[in-house]
Amino acid sequence: ISFSETTQISEIHARSMEGGKWSEPIVVSEAPGDYHKPAIAVDAAGAVWIGWPAQVRGNWDIYGRVLRGKQWGKTERWTSDAGTDLAPQLAASKDGLLLVWQGVRKKNLDILYRYYKGSWGKEGFVTENPANDWEPTLTVAHDGTFYVAWDSYRGDYDVFLRSMRGGVWGPEMPVANSPKLENHASLAVDASDRLWIAWEVGPEKWA
């Protein structure tokens, strides 16, 4: 994101590197606006997906554009609920593309998702616990399994994990749930399809 102190507006920028050389930055957002942290993924066909939260008429939703070949599509609105939607993450397998984000639904903060396979599927919930859930992170294994991690406040902040394959979600799995502060997870899959997860640790009774 590029923010101008002069105009007080933001733009979404992107650039690519090939052969060790960076391209010139391009402006992805079609118009200046009030934007937040973007996400990026490349799908199996080589299309580049970029999504970002934007505040439009007082509501934060996730918007995005797709670069296919050398042609950018129009900006699309990927969420439409009246609740605030932030913190998008994108990842693509050979079959489709997964979008997860943090949203407010029924006065509760949850991790939500939409799956794209030729077209966008309906919005669904990654988290089903009544606790508030924060900051999803997302990755995908070579076998097409998507992994989502987040932190949840259930008396203290803990890290949880869930996987999805073939459109079916597995059970929620606690990763770090000691009395200490555990949050801000990060995910990666190595060449052997092993999942790695890291998180921050803080003192007990934090917040």
Side-chain angles (χ1 to χ4, degrees):
I1 290 181
S2 176
F3 176 75
S4 169
E5 290 283 358
T6 303
T7 62
Q8 298 293 298
I9 56 176
S10 301
E11 293 177 328
I12 306 296
H13 289 242
R15 68 193 309 190
S16 60
M17 185 176 70
E18 186 175 356
K21 295 183 179 180
W22 284 101
S23 68
E24 290 298 316
I26 61 169
V27 180
V28 177
S29 47
E30 295 185 272
D34 187 4
Y35 303 135
H36 201 239
K37 297 177 181 179
I40 189 169
V42 179
D43 69 18
V48 180
W49 295 68
I50 299 180
W52 62 89
Q55 183 174 208
V56 179
R57 294 184 290 277
N59 184 39
W60 284 94
D61 275 304
I62 310 299
Y63 294 78
R65 292 186 79 185
V66 184
L67 174 65
R68 292 184 171 91
K70 296 184 179 181
Q71 184 68 41
W72 282 98
K74 291 291 184 180
T75 301
E76 298 177 339
R77 185 178 178 181
W78 292 347
T79 65
S80 58
D81 194 272
T84 299
D85 297 300
L86 294 170
Q89 294 280 293
L90 291 165
S93 70
K94 62 180 180 180
D95 294 321
L97 177 131
L98 184 64
L99 166 69
V100 299
W101 72 94
Q102 170 186 310
V104 177
R105 299 293 184 271
K106 298 179 181 180
K107 298 182 180 181
N108 196 59
L109 196 60
D110 282 301
I111 309 304
L112 299 113
Y113 79 96
R114 292 187 76 187
Y115 187 64
Y116 184 93
K117 189 174 182 178
S119 62
W120 282 109
K122 294 181 180 180
E123 175 182 293
F125 287 83
V126 179
T127 55
E128 299 171 352
N129 191 287
N132 282 325
D133 302 299
W134 304 83
E135 294 189 8
T137 183
L138 172 66
T139 193
V140 61
H142 301 92
D143 66 2
T145 302
F146 292 94
Y147 295 96
V148 183
W150 67 95
D151 55 78
S152 182
Y153 188 81
R154 306 179 186 184
D156 63 275
Y157 284 95
D158 296 317
V159 175
F160 293 86
L161 178 74
R162 203 171 180 194
S163 64
M164 185 188 82
R165 187 175 184 184
V168 179
W169 286 97
E172 178 185 272
M173 179 186 303
V175 176
N177 60 345
S178 79
K180 293 183 177 181
L181 164 70
E182 290 141 336
N183 64 349
H184 300 317
S186 180
L187 289 172
V189 172
D190 66 18
S192 299
D193 259 359
R194 295 177 300 183
L195 179 69
W196 296 72
I197 181 166
W199 61 91
E200 294 181 11
V201 177
E204 293 185 19
K205 300 182 180 180
W206 189 90

